[in-house]
Amino acid sequence: MLIHSKLFRIVLFFIFISTFSFAQKARIKGVVLNENQLPIENVSVSSPTSNTSTNKNGFYELEIAANVEITISFYISSFKKSTYKVNLKPNEDFEWNPILGTINEVIETVVITGKNRNINGATALSPVLLRRIPGGNAGVENLIKTLPGVYSNNELSTSYAVRGGNYDENLVYVNEIEVYRPFLVRSGQQEGLSFTNTDMVQNIDFYAGGFQAKYGDKLSSVLDIAYRNPKTFHAGLEASFLGGSIFAEGVSKNQKWSNITGIRYRNNALLVKSQETQTNYQPSFLDVQSLFNFNLNTKWNFSFLGNIAQNNYNYQPTSRQTNFGTISEPIALLIQYEGQEKDTYTTFFGAIKSVFEPNKNNKYKYISSVYHTVEQEYYDILAQYRLGEVDANIGSETFGNVVFSRGIGSQLNHARNNLDALIVTNEIKGNHKLNDDNAIEWSFKHNFENIRDRVVEWEVIDSAGFSLPNPELEYINDQPYNPYFGPLAPYQNVRAKNNTTINRFNSYLNWNYEGLIGSHTYYVNAGVRGQSWLASNNEISGTNQFTFSPRAQFILKPNWDKEMVFRFSVGVYNQPPFYRELRASDGSVKPNVKDQKSVHFVFGHDYSFQMWNRPFKLVSEAYYKTMTDVNAYTIDNVRIRYEANNNATAYVYGIDGRLNGEFVPGVESWFTFGYLKTEENQGGKGFIARPTDQRLKFAILFQDYMPNIPSLKMYLNLVYNTGLPGGSPAYADPYLYQTRLNDYRRADTGFSYVFKDAKLGGHRKWLANFSEFSLGFEIYNMFNNQNSITNTWVRDVYTKTQYGVPNYLTTRTFNLKLSMRI
């Protein structure tokens, strides 16, 4: 009760910092951009009754009359004049960021309804930030990890956990098409590239919970990305010590065809070689994506999105030394390696989308996609280790060296894993506007999944000359004091061959309504999802299963002088098992695994205000989730091993806050805070912390520039997360190992000198052909913090103690980055 009381007081704090009064007019504000997403200075912004102009950062704010249609004009020489029509409600503070085309480009008049696209709880992110903010794995996920409710303690991974969920509980859409990740990836350094190409992105919306029924059957979050539809020719290049990318986009003369294509290459050797394990590391991550659009006429549009990714991971460790323990009792783990690992992940993805819009009130879509992945994971690595006490006597000749060995042993890991997966999807969607206040969306979708998988993994552990048998066997082992007469078996041995087929039929119906309570505006979104699926493995079929997921959201926008929005969401979220959830820790597939069930309760509050005459926004959310039929799991780096038995229940509750705005004029920054607690009860044995129970989160994303040297810009990406549960040795009871890793602390910073953009560098002749040209210097893990991702469990043969030795992540690393666009 004490925790819930504190949570209630925190919610009240976020609400009562706002004071209420009544408003008179409406406002429109934003940043005027060119087609390269760069701000334009001195743009004239005018309405019939008022006018203003953009500042040096492209920002404008204009007060207009409410409840009448107003035409807003944007004009500056060298750009085409553009007009926009808006009809805003009293006190509405509407944000619009127009893009002005060059003088020879035609920009159509756009009618704005006055509804913010993120009023329903989505966090909208700027595509420009994706390229600017530094990070060990820069991209969309790098930015998402700074948001409230999003947790990650591995800078090498694009995976993230949201509000107590695991890495497999997040939906990702690109142009309304669900995308997938490779299956066999075990560690962040194997992942390579995210699917999303940042050079092609137009819009990004992220939902951390309580999302609508139109989004799919996952428990935690939705990342909804839209790629750009080119209007003119552009190209760009980026190169750094970690790899590079290049893109080009254009449109045909008749404006019917357009294409944007991006190629990316990444090499993580710079980061991985800063870890404690000394390796010969040769990664190669290559990705090609292309989006074609064809406008048959004003009613028909066709598009094709294609992607080919080739990830090769070659890893040959040589040695490692990890110091841990305490000041009074320092301990070191020394390892010499033999062998290597060779992994290959090749994925092919293609999707066709057709949009038919017979009139302004009706729209129909057909989406068909194919995802094919061929994955290979081969390794034979022998690790010979020595666990010993370190001489802590400063005056000693052996200071810092291991002077007494507590344990000597070896560990041999072997794998020959192959996977071939094919996923085919067909979907029909409809969107109908019944009147100005009512709209209905619906969908029917079929998924066919075929996964062919061979698992061969074994591990042999030798401790002080005694081979440790499989702990799941019934035996009495008192080595080295008494001889062992039981069967000889590897410590771990997983062998399975699966041919799994899953057919899924799902659909949704979603209703949107806007109305008035007095002078206050409210929005209602209600919907329901249903899915039926049948799984079979090696021609043995399971039973047909069905889920039913009603969801609703109520949004109130009071007619107050202070710009506020209140949201309440409640819904049932079911996650039918994907292949990894069907496969148990012994490699066998259980076709009758049930869907995991969760009920979300989310209360949100948005407060937009002015500080220092600049716009700011405070977003706070409190949430509670209860879960049943939970598929318990353990996490090995980023690989999840499920129990596949639905024998657990769980809960999550917490609160998130985010303050974003122009702490520096014209550029957006934010501060994020989050608290959560999540526990699970496995088989009625009592509640323990879930593997994602990361209690506190604090993050800063900050942009700045020098007023006297505007070409010099600075970016800071800082994340602090409290420690995750540290896991347990293989086959051990997790109830006996409730230790935690150290807190995750990381700060990445970047400095960029802009030779040319929309405002700077126009007088330099050698830059005449560029629209943007900059050179950046980045520092990863600026404070050189030692962060750990998991524990390696080492046995002391004399005391039979299991030591959790931290596996540390990357240290401080430097990078140079060149960026140019035409």
Side-chain angles (χ1 to χ4, degrees), residues 239-242 270 775-778 814-818:
S240 75
F241 292 155
L242 291 172
L270 178 69
L775 181 65
F777 174 68
E778 298 176 332
F814 303 95
N815 185 37
L816 283 177
K817 184 169 69 174
L818 174 68

Side-chain angles (χ1 to χ4, degrees), residues 367-607:
I367 301 173
S368 179
S369 66
V370 177
Y371 174 82
H372 184 210
T373 180
V374 180
E375 304 175 21
Q376 170 186 295
E377 185 182 50
Y378 290 179
Y379 58 80
D380 289 283
I381 297 178
L382 172 65
Q384 296 174 312
Y385 71 87
R386 184 158 65 105
L387 181 69
E389 297 178 4
V390 178
D391 186 355
N393 186 355
I394 298 178
S396 173
E397 293 182 357
T398 59
F399 173 71
N401 296 330
V402 175
V403 294
F404 176 76
S405 295
R406 291 188 177 184
I408 298 175
S410 62
Q411 177 177 323
L412 175 61
N413 286 284
H414 166 91
R416 293 294 185 271
N417 298 331
N418 295 88
L419 183 141
D420 189 315
L422 177 69
I423 302 175
V424 181
T425 302
N426 288 280
E427 182 178 19
I428 299 175
K429 304 173 73 173
N431 192 320
H432 308 282
K433 184 178 180 182
L434 305 180
N435 52 49
D436 290 341
D437 300 325
N438 280 277
I440 291 178
E441 300 173 80
W442 56 267
S443 166
F444 293 98
K445 183 178 180 181
H446 173 254
N447 272 44
F448 171 78
E449 302 162 14
N450 181 232
I451 298 94
R452 296 164 297 283
D453 182 21
R454 186 192 70 167
V455 185
V456 179
E457 289 184 16
W458 50 259
E459 177 184 21
V460 175
I461 299 179
D462 179 281
S463 181
F466 300 94
S467 179
L468 300 184
N470 190 318
E472 290 192 337
L473 299 177
E474 294 183 0
Y475 66 94
I476 299 175
N477 181 13
D478 194 27
Q479 296 182 89
Y481 307 105
N482 293 295
Y484 170 68
F485 296 100
L488 293 176
Y491 187 72
Q492 294 187 62
N493 187 16
V494 179
R495 295 175 181 269
K497 189 173 183 181
N498 302 308
N499 187 348
T500 305
T501 300
I502 308 173
N503 274 287
R504 306 181 193 270
F505 294 90
N506 58 66
S507 64
Y508 70 80
L509 181 65
N510 210 57
W511 171 61
N512 292 281
Y513 178 78
E514 177 183 349
L516 292 174
I517 303 177
S519 61
H520 309 297
T521 305
Y522 71 92
Y523 305 87
V524 176
N525 179 279
V528 61
R529 289 191 65 86
Q531 181 174 148
S532 173
W533 79 94
L534 177 65
S536 63
N537 184 59
N538 297 332
E539 299 183 353
I540 299 176
S541 180
T543 58
N544 192 77
Q545 301 186 59
F546 178 77
T547 67
F548 182 75
S549 306
R551 305 172 190 176
Q553 184 180 58
F554 179 80
I555 303 169
L556 178 64
K557 191 172 184 181
N559 185 20
W560 295 335
D561 183 45
K562 301 297 183 180
E563 182 72 18
M564 293 192 180
V565 174
F566 296 89
R567 288 186 306 275
F568 177 72
S569 303
V570 60
V572 176
Y573 296 81
N574 298 323
Q575 181 167 318
F578 203 48
Y579 175 73
R580 294 216 302 184
E581 295 156 89
L582 294 172
R583 198 177 83 174
S585 57
D586 63 359
S588 63
V589 168
K590 312 293 185 183
N592 287 322
V593 173
K594 300 177 183 178
D595 57 297
Q596 300 184 81
K597 302 174 180 64
S598 175
V599 180
H600 290 199
F601 301 91
V602 183
F603 174 76
H605 173 241
D606 298 353
Y607 172 37

Side-chain angles (χ1 to χ4, degrees), residues 710-765:
S711 296
L712 185 60
K713 304 180 185 296
M714 187 276 286
Y715 310 98
L716 174 66
N717 182 1
L718 184 149
V719 175
Y720 168 81
N721 295 324
T722 53
L724 285 167
S728 59
Y731 297 102
D733 185 351
Y735 280 78
L736 302 178
Y737 291 85
Q738 285 297 294
T739 59
R740 287 184 177 266
L741 300 171
N742 292 330
D743 296 349
Y744 181 83
R745 299 162 296 166
R746 186 176 177 88
D748 299 325
T749 187
F751 301 90
S752 178
Y753 187 86
V754 179
F755 292 92
K756 186 178 181 182
D757 62 12
K759 299 176 293 183
L760 302 169
H763 61 282
R764 297 184 176 97
K765 292 183 179 180

Side-chain angles (χ1 to χ4, degrees), residues 131 199 236-240 752-753 755-756 770 772-776 817-821:
R131 299 186 288 114
D199 290 327
L237 178 146
E238 185 177 288
S240 75
S752 178
Y753 187 86
F755 292 92
K756 186 178 181 182
F770 295 95
E772 179 184 327
F773 194 103
S774 64
L775 181 65
K817 184 169 69 174
L818 174 68
S819 179
M820 59 182 71
R821 296 197 168 206

